Amino acid sequence: MALKLRIMDTIRAESKLFGFQTIGTPALEYADTLLGIGEETDKQSYRFQDHGGRDVGLRFDLTVPFARFVAEHQNELLFPFKKLQMGEVWRGENTQKGRYREFAQCDLDIIGTDHELADSEILALFARILTKLHFGSFTMAVGSRPVLTGMVRKILGIQGDGSEGKISTALISIDKLAKIGEERVISLLVEQTGSSPQACARLIAILSAKDPSGATDLEPIKLLFADDPKLTESLTSLQKIVDGARMGAFGDQQHRDQSQRPTLKIDLSVARGLGYYTGVVFETTIDGLPGFGSVCSGGRYDDLVRRFTDRELPGVGGSIGLDRLVAALEELGLGSVATNPPVFIALVSPAANLYGLSVASHIRAAGFTCEVGFAPKLGAQLKHANRLGVRWAVILGEDEAASATLTLKDLSTGEQWLGISQDQLMTRLCVKSVDP
Amino acid sequence: MALKLRIMDTIRAESKLFGFQTIGTPALEYADTLLGIGEETDKQSYRFQDHGGRDVGLRFDLTVPFARFVAEHQNELLFPFKKLQMGEVWRGENTQKGRYREFAQCDLDIIGTDHELADSEILALFARILTKLHFGSFTMAVGSRPVLTGMVRKILGIQGDGSEGKISTALISIDKLAKIGEERVISLLVEQTGSSPQACARLIAILSAKDPSGATDLEPIKLLFADDPKLTESLTSLQKIVDGARMGAFGDQQHRDQSQRPTLKIDLSVARGLGYYTGVVFETTIDGLPGFGSVCSGGRYDDLVRRFTDRELPGVGGSIGLDRLVAALEELGLGSVATNPPVFIALVSPAANLYGLSVASHIRAAGFTCEVGFAPKLGAQLKHANRLGVRWAVILGEDEAASATLTLKDLSTGEQWLGISQDQLMTRLCVKSVDP
């Protein structure tokens, strides 16, 4: 929980710098709102009737409640609206390591603009958040739905009736490239689209060709699109978005240690399964956890809110799986949250209790965590302090209360000082807490 | 949401200073865990069968999940265990102003000790939190179950078979004193206990007698308990707990403005309806909102965890209704969260986009919120900036990008400066943001 709170605090702080506002929506929504998005989500939704006989369900993501929220509050919201939403979602599926039936998501969206600067800002914000979480290096791979769709159409020669369905299926297969490999994706494409094995192999070869930085080699695609101004524009736009994202995330400064610099690159094989993306799509992997999968993904969508309102509200956004991030940080051995150990007040006489509480209030007022011992004997209190990882124990009895002084003990060395004043204690804490 | 987050941040920060740890438990629990606490809660629980045919329900408070959590993790937890838990709870009842079917609670507990210093610390922590929320003055009224029970027994002469039930009923009636008045409580007591009207009137007279500070006048009660060392001890303990709480919350310093000092007082008429309290009980009202009711209440309990384990784990704790606090702050006109308005970057040429994103990243790195304009025209961007409450707009076009300078506009005065460097902007922001 400490780790999850640290992640959530980091997300809030960075989002605030980008001008995002936090919203909250209830866990329970009307079943009508939740259902009908897809067969899988319908099946996985927790649904029941409430005490008033209404069909309700627990949200299975934050996207649908957000769309409902935007439609409902469209006259009060100032567009483009930038929102942060964090909360639990529920899915009735089998659990796996790091995947639970109840888990926390974090969504960041800019809605009400189709400007490519918004795409850059979303990518930059996610990159900032992941940088601030100190995972080590990570890779954000950014693709483009129109570019990829254009390539699939041109190279596989898909046209006419039923081409939309074929292309969707092809995208889902291309999305599996990293998981199942080129050979199997090519067979799937041949089977699904009816295109020639040569054409399918060529598509996959172009998608897999990388320049020295690991990004998709764009030269063959530029050639392919040379006679198509619209697709050329989509490709140029993608490049601008990624250049802007890099600038927004890291400024114009060279990272001192190139190996620690997160990678933000164009990878046209990023397809993303979900149907609603219409522009950039991205996913993010942690370089130190190659098999872990994406920790943060999203893209541009044009009609997410259309289910609830006629108003056109294009947007761009993405999700971080908070519980997955916790699992990732733990797997990297970065799971412990450093906190200053508390100061412990051991009370050896009931006559010192009031004095002890007053000392505790001063220590806390100075910003230090302070624990008060509740056991009757000093030994038991110091044992508890040791278990809490305490270094500084303040021991107070009748004498200390009478003279308004403290006995201070360094539990790490056993050293002890008598007759310390409260001011001397504060000085000691301020100096010692910044010790290496 | 901004207000709720500010309250939650304050609670976390203060609790940390007292050595509390945050825990989280799922929203869904097995029905077996949730049910059987009381008829009312059983009736109000949202229950259903999950996809595996298990009977589950949404938690109706944080207390039952906490008890289950403690029993389950008793071998890993270090007792006394101090915990903070914040989260939503669900109750299928009729909604009222500030009362929803889904609402957020905050529970603070110290479990695994019966030491009266723990009672003082819990009261002090709640008083610190409410002080830090800047409600103006508030009153924490602290009673004692054993003292009140002793008074009811002695004055009403309740003894023998069935006395427990009579006393519980009497406590529930006494709890209504502030709401329904002395006369009606006396009639209820006569009816419920079969005691004489004179005895019931005497009990209520003693409970209602206050000293000049507004606290219960303890002198008649000391006389009443003179021949009973156990009850005398309970009364002395209550005094020590409240004295300790005051010291823990406010230290030994005199408040400069006595009228702003929160009141922490003994009020023996505080009974609290819930059956499980066994020691101190408290509730808190905001002086500026006399009809609002208690915003924070709790007490000592001895066998909350007994349902789930044989181990004896006495504790003390309380709850803050987060959504009720939000409603209270709004009613007091304290609902707006002050934030520094963002710096706005207006981009007047696509050639300045990358430069603009780099400037944005520098402004954010300095800790200032920065918004980037997404509209194509300057006018639309500045209109949006005005709506956001922006004072400083940075306007960037081709010239600025080429010379790496900024045009800065003060939207509050219309003044504009050309050729500003990024360093000059930072200086301006740092100086102007602390302006009165």
Side-chain angles (χ1 to χ4, degrees), chain A residues 9 12 16-18 27 43 82 102 115 121 364 369-370 374, chain B residues 9 12 16-18 27 43 51 102 115 364 369-371 374:
Chain A
D9 286 346
R12 264 174 65 202
K16 191 174 165 286
L17 293 175
F18 279 71
K43 220 170 59 192
K82 302 173 176 183
E102 174 174 334
H115 204 298
E121 288 260 283
R364 289 163 182 158
T369 295
C370 177
F374 299 136
Chain B
D9 287 345
R12 264 173 65 203
K16 190 172 165 288
L17 292 175
F18 279 70
K43 218 170 60 192
H51 295 69
E102 175 174 333
H115 204 299
R364 289 164 183 158
T369 294
C370 176
E371 300 249 4
F374 299 136

PDB file of all heavy atoms in Angstrom, chain A residues 9 12 16-18 27 43 82 102 115 121 364 369-370 374, chain B residues 9 12 16-18 27 43 51 102 115 364 369-371 374:
ATOM      1  N   ASP A   9       0.893   9.247  -5.707  1.00  0.00           N
ATOM      2  CA  ASP A   9       1.333  10.620  -5.412  1.00  0.00           C
ATOM      3  C   ASP A   9       2.167  11.172  -6.572  1.00  0.00           C
ATOM      4  O   ASP A   9       2.032  12.343  -6.938  1.00  0.00           O
ATOM      5  CB  ASP A   9       2.160  10.655  -4.116  1.00  0.00           C
ATOM      6  CG  ASP A   9       1.296  10.484  -2.871  1.00  0.00           C
ATOM      7  OD1 ASP A   9       0.057  10.601  -2.990  1.00  0.00           O
ATOM      8  OD2 ASP A   9       1.849  10.224  -1.794  1.00  0.00           O
ATOM      9  N   ARG A  12      -0.118  12.044  -9.444  1.00  0.00           N
ATOM     10  CA  ARG A  12      -0.854  13.284  -9.185  1.00  0.00           C
ATOM     11  C   ARG A  12       0.032  14.512  -9.329  1.00  0.00           C
ATOM     12  O   ARG A  12      -0.373  15.519  -9.919  1.00  0.00           O
ATOM     13  CB  ARG A  12      -1.447  13.255  -7.776  1.00  0.00           C
ATOM     14  CG  ARG A  12      -2.897  12.797  -7.758  1.00  0.00           C
ATOM     15  CD  ARG A  12      -3.392  12.642  -6.351  1.00  0.00           C
ATOM     16  NE  ARG A  12      -3.436  13.894  -5.621  1.00  0.00           N
ATOM     17  CZ  ARG A  12      -3.430  13.986  -4.296  1.00  0.00           C
ATOM     18  NH1 ARG A  12      -3.384  12.899  -3.551  1.00  0.00           N
ATOM     19  NH2 ARG A  12      -3.476  15.166  -3.698  1.00  0.00           N
ATOM     20  N   LYS A  16      -0.471  17.271 -12.288  1.00  0.00           N
ATOM     21  CA  LYS A  16      -0.787  18.638 -11.874  1.00  0.00           C
ATOM     22  C   LYS A  16       0.078  19.631 -12.650  1.00  0.00           C
ATOM     23  O   LYS A  16      -0.414  20.673 -13.103  1.00  0.00           O
ATOM     24  CB  LYS A  16      -0.569  18.778 -10.375  1.00  0.00           C
ATOM     25  CG  LYS A  16      -1.122  20.067  -9.797  1.00  0.00           C
ATOM     26  CD  LYS A  16      -1.001  20.058  -8.286  1.00  0.00           C
ATOM     27  CE  LYS A  16      -1.211  21.470  -7.759  1.00  0.00           C
ATOM     28  NZ  LYS A  16      -0.038  22.345  -8.024  1.00  0.00           N
ATOM     29  N   LEU A  17       1.356  19.305 -12.813  1.00  0.00           N
ATOM     30  CA  LEU A  17       2.261  20.195 -13.556  1.00  0.00           C
ATOM     31  C   LEU A  17       1.809  20.364 -15.011  1.00  0.00           C
ATOM     32  O   LEU A  17       2.096  21.368 -15.644  1.00  0.00           O
ATOM     33  CB  LEU A  17       3.693  19.664 -13.509  1.00  0.00           C
ATOM     34  CG  LEU A  17       4.378  19.680 -12.141  1.00  0.00           C
ATOM     35  CD1 LEU A  17       5.742  19.008 -12.214  1.00  0.00           C
ATOM     36  CD2 LEU A  17       4.528  21.118 -11.634  1.00  0.00           C
ATOM     37  N   PHE A  18       1.108  19.365 -15.533  1.00  0.00           N
ATOM     38  CA  PHE A  18       0.596  19.443 -16.897  1.00  0.00           C
ATOM     39  C   PHE A  18      -0.822  20.033 -16.947  1.00  0.00           C
ATOM     40  O   PHE A  18      -1.427  20.096 -18.011  1.00  0.00           O
ATOM     41  CB  PHE A  18       0.595  18.044 -17.546  1.00  0.00           C
ATOM     42  CG  PHE A  18       1.940  17.609 -18.093  1.00  0.00           C
ATOM     43  CD1 PHE A  18       2.981  17.282 -17.239  1.00  0.00           C
ATOM     44  CD2 PHE A  18       2.166  17.521 -19.461  1.00  0.00           C
ATOM     45  CE1 PHE A  18       4.218  16.880 -17.727  1.00  0.00           C
ATOM     46  CE2 PHE A  18       3.402  17.118 -19.968  1.00  0.00           C
ATOM     47  CZ  PHE A  18       4.430  16.804 -19.094  1.00  0.00           C
ATOM     48  N   ALA A  27     -18.091   3.522  -8.105  1.00  0.00           N
ATOM     49  CA  ALA A  27     -17.770   2.156  -8.511  1.00  0.00           C
ATOM     50  C   ALA A  27     -18.972   1.518  -9.214  1.00  0.00           C
ATOM     51  O   ALA A  27     -18.817   0.768 -10.167  1.00  0.00           O
ATOM     52  CB  ALA A  27     -17.379   1.333  -7.286  1.00  0.00           C
ATOM     53  N   LYS A  43     -19.366 -10.228 -20.299  1.00  0.00           N
ATOM     54  CA  LYS A  43     -19.299 -11.505 -19.593  1.00  0.00           C
ATOM     55  C   LYS A  43     -18.591 -11.360 -18.246  1.00  0.00           C
ATOM     56  O   LYS A  43     -18.944 -12.015 -17.274  1.00  0.00           O
ATOM     57  CB  LYS A  43     -18.552 -12.534 -20.466  1.00  0.00           C
ATOM     58  CG  LYS A  43     -19.139 -13.925 -20.447  1.00  0.00           C
ATOM     59  CD  LYS A  43     -18.506 -14.827 -21.498  1.00  0.00           C
ATOM     60  CE  LYS A  43     -17.013 -14.975 -21.317  1.00  0.00           C
ATOM     61  NZ  LYS A  43     -16.380 -15.619 -22.490  1.00  0.00           N
ATOM     62  N   LYS A  82      -8.604  18.148 -19.328  1.00  0.00           N
ATOM     63  CA  LYS A  82      -7.518  17.204 -19.025  1.00  0.00           C
ATOM     64  C   LYS A  82      -7.815  16.531 -17.710  1.00  0.00           C
ATOM     65  O   LYS A  82      -7.890  17.223 -16.689  1.00  0.00           O
ATOM     66  CB  LYS A  82      -6.203  17.958 -18.885  1.00  0.00           C
ATOM     67  CG  LYS A  82      -5.790  18.769 -20.089  1.00  0.00           C
ATOM     68  CD  LYS A  82      -4.576  19.581 -19.709  1.00  0.00           C
ATOM     69  CE  LYS A  82      -4.031  20.347 -20.881  1.00  0.00           C
ATOM     70  NZ  LYS A  82      -2.812  21.077 -20.493  1.00  0.00           N
ATOM     71  N   GLU A 102     -10.126  -7.562  -8.538  1.00  0.00           N
ATOM     72  CA  GLU A 102     -10.285  -6.135  -8.204  1.00  0.00           C
ATOM     73  C   GLU A 102      -8.907  -5.518  -8.315  1.00  0.00           C
ATOM     74  O   GLU A 102      -7.969  -5.972  -7.668  1.00  0.00           O
ATOM     75  CB  GLU A 102     -10.822  -6.018  -6.770  1.00  0.00           C
ATOM     76  CG  GLU A 102     -10.891  -4.587  -6.257  1.00  0.00           C
ATOM     77  CD  GLU A 102     -11.567  -4.472  -4.884  1.00  0.00           C
ATOM     78  OE1 GLU A 102     -12.402  -5.338  -4.521  1.00  0.00           O
ATOM     79  OE2 GLU A 102     -11.241  -3.521  -4.159  1.00  0.00           O
ATOM     80  N   HIS A 115      -5.867  18.203 -31.690  1.00  0.00           N
ATOM     81  CA  HIS A 115      -4.560  18.814 -31.958  1.00  0.00           C
ATOM     82  C   HIS A 115      -3.450  17.818 -31.638  1.00  0.00           C
ATOM     83  O   HIS A 115      -3.484  17.171 -30.609  1.00  0.00           O
ATOM     84  CB  HIS A 115      -4.418  20.062 -31.090  1.00  0.00           C
ATOM     85  CG  HIS A 115      -3.450  21.061 -31.639  1.00  0.00           C
ATOM     86  ND1 HIS A 115      -2.117  20.780 -31.813  1.00  0.00           N
ATOM     87  CD2 HIS A 115      -3.622  22.335 -32.057  1.00  0.00           C
ATOM     88  CE1 HIS A 115      -1.512  21.852 -32.309  1.00  0.00           C
ATOM     89  NE2 HIS A 115      -2.407  22.805 -32.479  1.00  0.00           N
ATOM     90  N   GLU A 121       1.658  15.860 -25.591  1.00  0.00           N
ATOM     91  CA  GLU A 121       1.593  16.113 -24.149  1.00  0.00           C
ATOM     92  C   GLU A 121       1.243  14.848 -23.361  1.00  0.00           C
ATOM     93  O   GLU A 121       1.801  14.600 -22.296  1.00  0.00           O
ATOM     94  CB  GLU A 121       0.567  17.210 -23.862  1.00  0.00           C
ATOM     95  CG  GLU A 121       1.034  18.601 -24.283  1.00  0.00           C
ATOM     96  CD  GLU A 121       1.561  19.403 -23.108  1.00  0.00           C
ATOM     97  OE1 GLU A 121       0.721  19.908 -22.337  1.00  0.00           O
ATOM     98  OE2 GLU A 121       2.798  19.508 -22.963  1.00  0.00           O
ATOM     99  N   ARG A 364       6.502  16.087  16.535  1.00  0.00           N
ATOM    100  CA  ARG A 364       5.638  16.000  15.349  1.00  0.00           C
ATOM    101  C   ARG A 364       5.490  17.370  14.677  1.00  0.00           C
ATOM    102  O   ARG A 364       5.452  17.458  13.454  1.00  0.00           O
ATOM    103  CB  ARG A 364       4.270  15.438  15.744  1.00  0.00           C
ATOM    104  CG  ARG A 364       4.328  13.965  16.090  1.00  0.00           C
ATOM    105  CD  ARG A 364       3.101  13.504  16.864  1.00  0.00           C
ATOM    106  NE  ARG A 364       3.197  12.092  17.225  1.00  0.00           N
ATOM    107  CZ  ARG A 364       2.521  11.542  18.223  1.00  0.00           C
ATOM    108  NH1 ARG A 364       1.684  12.265  18.950  1.00  0.00           N
ATOM    109  NH2 ARG A 364       2.670  10.249  18.479  1.00  0.00           N
ATOM    110  N   THR A 369       8.152  11.904  12.504  1.00  0.00           N
ATOM    111  CA  THR A 369       7.228  10.903  13.014  1.00  0.00           C
ATOM    112  C   THR A 369       7.660  10.510  14.413  1.00  0.00           C
ATOM    113  O   THR A 369       8.840  10.301  14.671  1.00  0.00           O
ATOM    114  CB  THR A 369       7.233   9.670  12.093  1.00  0.00           C
ATOM    115  OG1 THR A 369       6.707  10.068  10.831  1.00  0.00           O
ATOM    116  CG2 THR A 369       6.386   8.546  12.661  1.00  0.00           C
ATOM    117  N   CYS A 370       6.698  10.431  15.305  1.00  0.00           N
ATOM    118  CA  CYS A 370       7.000  10.096  16.695  1.00  0.00           C
ATOM    119  C   CYS A 370       6.029   9.029  17.190  1.00  0.00           C
ATOM    120  O   CYS A 370       4.825   9.163  17.021  1.00  0.00           O
ATOM    121  CB  CYS A 370       6.904  11.355  17.558  1.00  0.00           C
ATOM    122  SG  CYS A 370       7.163  11.045  19.300  1.00  0.00           S
ATOM    123  N   PHE A 374       3.500   2.093  24.512  1.00  0.00           N
ATOM    124  CA  PHE A 374       2.296   1.801  25.297  1.00  0.00           C
ATOM    125  C   PHE A 374       2.504   0.681  26.316  1.00  0.00           C
ATOM    126  O   PHE A 374       1.605   0.370  27.072  1.00  0.00           O
ATOM    127  CB  PHE A 374       1.127   1.395  24.369  1.00  0.00           C
ATOM    128  CG  PHE A 374       0.726   2.465  23.391  1.00  0.00           C
ATOM    129  CD1 PHE A 374       0.471   2.152  22.076  1.00  0.00           C
ATOM    130  CD2 PHE A 374       0.603   3.788  23.799  1.00  0.00           C
ATOM    131  CE1 PHE A 374       0.075   3.130  21.173  1.00  0.00           C
ATOM    132  CE2 PHE A 374       0.220   4.780  22.911  1.00  0.00           C
ATOM    133  CZ  PHE A 374      -0.039   4.446  21.583  1.00  0.00           C
TER     134      PHE A 374
ATOM    135  N   ASP B   9      -5.064  13.990   1.972  1.00  0.00           N
ATOM    136  CA  ASP B   9      -3.634  14.271   2.126  1.00  0.00           C
ATOM    137  C   ASP B   9      -3.315  14.733   3.544  1.00  0.00           C
ATOM    138  O   ASP B   9      -2.302  14.338   4.126  1.00  0.00           O
ATOM    139  CB  ASP B   9      -3.191  15.359   1.131  1.00  0.00           C
ATOM    140  CG  ASP B   9      -3.125  14.831  -0.298  1.00  0.00           C
ATOM    141  OD1 ASP B   9      -3.144  13.600  -0.479  1.00  0.00           O
ATOM    142  OD2 ASP B   9      -3.053  15.656  -1.234  1.00  0.00           O
ATOM    143  N   ARG B  12      -3.434  11.769   5.873  1.00  0.00           N
ATOM    144  CA  ARG B  12      -2.240  10.916   5.722  1.00  0.00           C
ATOM    145  C   ARG B  12      -1.014  11.544   6.358  1.00  0.00           C
ATOM    146  O   ARG B  12      -0.234  10.871   7.033  1.00  0.00           O
ATOM    147  CB  ARG B  12      -1.957  10.652   4.243  1.00  0.00           C
ATOM    148  CG  ARG B  12      -2.526   9.336   3.763  1.00  0.00           C
ATOM    149  CD  ARG B  12      -2.369   9.180   2.278  1.00  0.00           C
ATOM    150  NE  ARG B  12      -1.000   9.109   1.847  1.00  0.00           N
ATOM    151  CZ  ARG B  12      -0.575   9.412   0.617  1.00  0.00           C
ATOM    152  NH1 ARG B  12      -1.436   9.817  -0.290  1.00  0.00           N
ATOM    153  NH2 ARG B  12       0.674   9.305   0.302  1.00  0.00           N
ATOM    154  N   LYS B  16       0.859   9.982   9.627  1.00  0.00           N
ATOM    155  CA  LYS B  16       2.247   9.547   9.484  1.00  0.00           C
ATOM    156  C   LYS B  16       3.085  10.069  10.650  1.00  0.00           C
ATOM    157  O   LYS B  16       3.927   9.343  11.196  1.00  0.00           O
ATOM    158  CB  LYS B  16       2.785  10.067   8.149  1.00  0.00           C
ATOM    159  CG  LYS B  16       4.120   9.491   7.772  1.00  0.00           C
ATOM    160  CD  LYS B  16       4.499   9.892   6.364  1.00  0.00           C
ATOM    161  CE  LYS B  16       5.978   9.616   6.124  1.00  0.00           C
ATOM    162  NZ  LYS B  16       6.859  10.558   6.837  1.00  0.00           N
ATOM    163  N   LEU B  17       2.837  11.315  11.057  1.00  0.00           N
ATOM    164  CA  LEU B  17       3.591  11.893  12.181  1.00  0.00           C
ATOM    165  C   LEU B  17       3.333  11.118  13.475  1.00  0.00           C
ATOM    166  O   LEU B  17       4.161  11.104  14.369  1.00  0.00           O
ATOM    167  CB  LEU B  17       3.220  13.369  12.374  1.00  0.00           C
ATOM    168  CG  LEU B  17       3.654  14.332  11.265  1.00  0.00           C
ATOM    169  CD1 LEU B  17       3.117  15.727  11.537  1.00  0.00           C
ATOM    170  CD2 LEU B  17       5.175  14.365  11.154  1.00  0.00           C
ATOM    171  N   PHE B  18       2.170  10.474  13.559  1.00  0.00           N
ATOM    172  CA  PHE B  18       1.838   9.667  14.735  1.00  0.00           C
ATOM    173  C   PHE B  18       2.263   8.198  14.548  1.00  0.00           C
ATOM    174  O   PHE B  18       1.982   7.369  15.398  1.00  0.00           O
ATOM    175  CB  PHE B  18       0.328   9.732  15.032  1.00  0.00           C
ATOM    176  CG  PHE B  18      -0.100  10.972  15.782  1.00  0.00           C
ATOM    177  CD1 PHE B  18      -0.078  12.221  15.177  1.00  0.00           C
ATOM    178  CD2 PHE B  18      -0.524  10.897  17.108  1.00  0.00           C
ATOM    179  CE1 PHE B  18      -0.479  13.365  15.864  1.00  0.00           C
ATOM    180  CE2 PHE B  18      -0.931  12.032  17.807  1.00  0.00           C
ATOM    181  CZ  PHE B  18      -0.897  13.270  17.190  1.00  0.00           C
ATOM    182  N   ALA B  27     -12.937  -3.969  -1.866  1.00  0.00           N
ATOM    183  CA  ALA B  27     -14.332  -3.548  -1.703  1.00  0.00           C
ATOM    184  C   ALA B  27     -15.230  -4.762  -1.494  1.00  0.00           C
ATOM    185  O   ALA B  27     -16.192  -4.715  -0.735  1.00  0.00           O
ATOM    186  CB  ALA B  27     -14.782  -2.769  -2.935  1.00  0.00           C
ATOM    187  N   LYS B  43     -29.389  -5.832   6.191  1.00  0.00           N
ATOM    188  CA  LYS B  43     -30.437  -5.417   5.260  1.00  0.00           C
ATOM    189  C   LYS B  43     -29.881  -4.465   4.209  1.00  0.00           C
ATOM    190  O   LYS B  43     -30.292  -4.488   3.051  1.00  0.00           O
ATOM    191  CB  LYS B  43     -31.570  -4.731   6.048  1.00  0.00           C
ATOM    192  CG  LYS B  43     -32.963  -5.049   5.545  1.00  0.00           C
ATOM    193  CD  LYS B  43     -34.033  -4.544   6.499  1.00  0.00           C
ATOM    194  CE  LYS B  43     -33.985  -3.044   6.705  1.00  0.00           C
ATOM    195  NZ  LYS B  43     -34.836  -2.590   7.830  1.00  0.00           N
ATOM    196  N   HIS B  51     -18.763 -14.805 -10.345  1.00  0.00           N
ATOM    197  CA  HIS B  51     -18.750 -15.733 -11.477  1.00  0.00           C
ATOM    198  C   HIS B  51     -18.423 -17.165 -11.069  1.00  0.00           C
ATOM    199  O   HIS B  51     -18.653 -18.100 -11.816  1.00  0.00           O
ATOM    200  CB  HIS B  51     -17.776 -15.242 -12.550  1.00  0.00           C
ATOM    201  CG  HIS B  51     -18.205 -13.932 -13.160  1.00  0.00           C
ATOM    202  ND1 HIS B  51     -18.180 -12.752 -12.454  1.00  0.00           N
ATOM    203  CD2 HIS B  51     -18.694 -13.630 -14.381  1.00  0.00           C
ATOM    204  CE1 HIS B  51     -18.622 -11.770 -13.230  1.00  0.00           C
ATOM    205  NE2 HIS B  51     -18.945 -12.274 -14.398  1.00  0.00           N
ATOM    206  N   GLU B 102     -22.979   5.286  -1.929  1.00  0.00           N
ATOM    207  CA  GLU B 102     -21.544   4.988  -1.962  1.00  0.00           C
ATOM    208  C   GLU B 102     -20.850   6.199  -1.356  1.00  0.00           C
ATOM    209  O   GLU B 102     -21.033   7.314  -1.840  1.00  0.00           O
ATOM    210  CB  GLU B 102     -21.102   4.781  -3.425  1.00  0.00           C
ATOM    211  CG  GLU B 102     -19.602   4.592  -3.593  1.00  0.00           C
ATOM    212  CD  GLU B 102     -19.205   4.232  -5.036  1.00  0.00           C
ATOM    213  OE1 GLU B 102     -20.028   3.644  -5.762  1.00  0.00           O
ATOM    214  OE2 GLU B 102     -18.068   4.548  -5.412  1.00  0.00           O
ATOM    215  N   HIS B 115      -3.757   0.361  26.722  1.00  0.00           N
ATOM    216  CA  HIS B 115      -3.107   1.461  27.450  1.00  0.00           C
ATOM    217  C   HIS B 115      -3.875   2.758  27.214  1.00  0.00           C
ATOM    218  O   HIS B 115      -4.236   3.060  26.086  1.00  0.00           O
ATOM    219  CB  HIS B 115      -1.672   1.606  26.953  1.00  0.00           C
ATOM    220  CG  HIS B 115      -0.766   2.261  27.941  1.00  0.00           C
ATOM    221  ND1 HIS B 115      -0.967   3.532  28.392  1.00  0.00           N
ATOM    222  CD2 HIS B 115       0.351   1.813  28.571  1.00  0.00           C
ATOM    223  CE1 HIS B 115      -0.006   3.847  29.251  1.00  0.00           C
ATOM    224  NE2 HIS B 115       0.809   2.811  29.375  1.00  0.00           N
ATOM    225  N   ARG B 364       7.662  23.351 -15.981  1.00  0.00           N
ATOM    226  CA  ARG B 364       7.196  22.260 -15.096  1.00  0.00           C
ATOM    227  C   ARG B 364       8.330  21.750 -14.216  1.00  0.00           C
ATOM    228  O   ARG B 364       8.105  21.428 -13.051  1.00  0.00           O
ATOM    229  CB  ARG B 364       6.632  21.117 -15.946  1.00  0.00           C
ATOM    230  CG  ARG B 364       5.308  21.478 -16.590  1.00  0.00           C
ATOM    231  CD  ARG B 364       4.944  20.535 -17.719  1.00  0.00           C
ATOM    232  NE  ARG B 364       3.698  20.935 -18.367  1.00  0.00           N
ATOM    233  CZ  ARG B 364       3.355  20.588 -19.599  1.00  0.00           C
ATOM    234  NH1 ARG B 364       4.148  19.817 -20.336  1.00  0.00           N
ATOM    235  NH2 ARG B 364       2.206  20.994 -20.104  1.00  0.00           N
ATOM    236  N   THR B 369       2.772  24.666 -12.692  1.00  0.00           N
ATOM    237  CA  THR B 369       1.845  24.044 -13.634  1.00  0.00           C
ATOM    238  C   THR B 369       1.865  24.839 -14.927  1.00  0.00           C
ATOM    239  O   THR B 369       1.830  26.066 -14.911  1.00  0.00           O
ATOM    240  CB  THR B 369       0.422  24.024 -13.038  1.00  0.00           C
ATOM    241  OG1 THR B 369       0.436  23.164 -11.904  1.00  0.00           O
ATOM    242  CG2 THR B 369      -0.599  23.510 -14.057  1.00  0.00           C
ATOM    243  N   CYS B 370       1.930  24.128 -16.031  1.00  0.00           N
ATOM    244  CA  CYS B 370       1.979  24.786 -17.330  1.00  0.00           C
ATOM    245  C   CYS B 370       0.983  24.125 -18.271  1.00  0.00           C
ATOM    246  O   CYS B 370       0.950  22.908 -18.402  1.00  0.00           O
ATOM    247  CB  CYS B 370       3.403  24.683 -17.883  1.00  0.00           C
ATOM    248  SG  CYS B 370       3.571  25.362 -19.534  1.00  0.00           S
ATOM    249  N   GLU B 371       0.155  24.934 -18.911  1.00  0.00           N
ATOM    250  CA  GLU B 371      -0.804  24.441 -19.907  1.00  0.00           C
ATOM    251  C   GLU B 371      -0.317  24.870 -21.285  1.00  0.00           C
ATOM    252  O   GLU B 371       0.188  25.990 -21.442  1.00  0.00           O
ATOM    253  CB  GLU B 371      -2.187  25.046 -19.668  1.00  0.00           C
ATOM    254  CG  GLU B 371      -2.784  24.738 -18.327  1.00  0.00           C
ATOM    255  CD  GLU B 371      -3.995  23.807 -18.429  1.00  0.00           C
ATOM    256  OE1 GLU B 371      -4.324  23.343 -19.543  1.00  0.00           O
ATOM    257  OE2 GLU B 371      -4.594  23.553 -17.376  1.00  0.00           O
ATOM    258  N   PHE B 374      -4.083  24.395 -27.355  1.00  0.00           N
ATOM    259  CA  PHE B 374      -4.286  23.458 -28.464  1.00  0.00           C
ATOM    260  C   PHE B 374      -5.092  24.074 -29.607  1.00  0.00           C
ATOM    261  O   PHE B 374      -5.278  23.446 -30.632  1.00  0.00           O
ATOM    262  CB  PHE B 374      -5.007  22.197 -27.989  1.00  0.00           C
ATOM    263  CG  PHE B 374      -4.263  21.425 -26.934  1.00  0.00           C
ATOM    264  CD1 PHE B 374      -4.924  20.913 -25.823  1.00  0.00           C
ATOM    265  CD2 PHE B 374      -2.903  21.200 -27.058  1.00  0.00           C
ATOM    266  CE1 PHE B 374      -4.249  20.179 -24.862  1.00  0.00           C
ATOM    267  CE2 PHE B 374      -2.211  20.471 -26.084  1.00  0.00           C
ATOM    268  CZ  PHE B 374      -2.894  19.961 -24.988  1.00  0.00           C
TER     269      PHE B 374
END
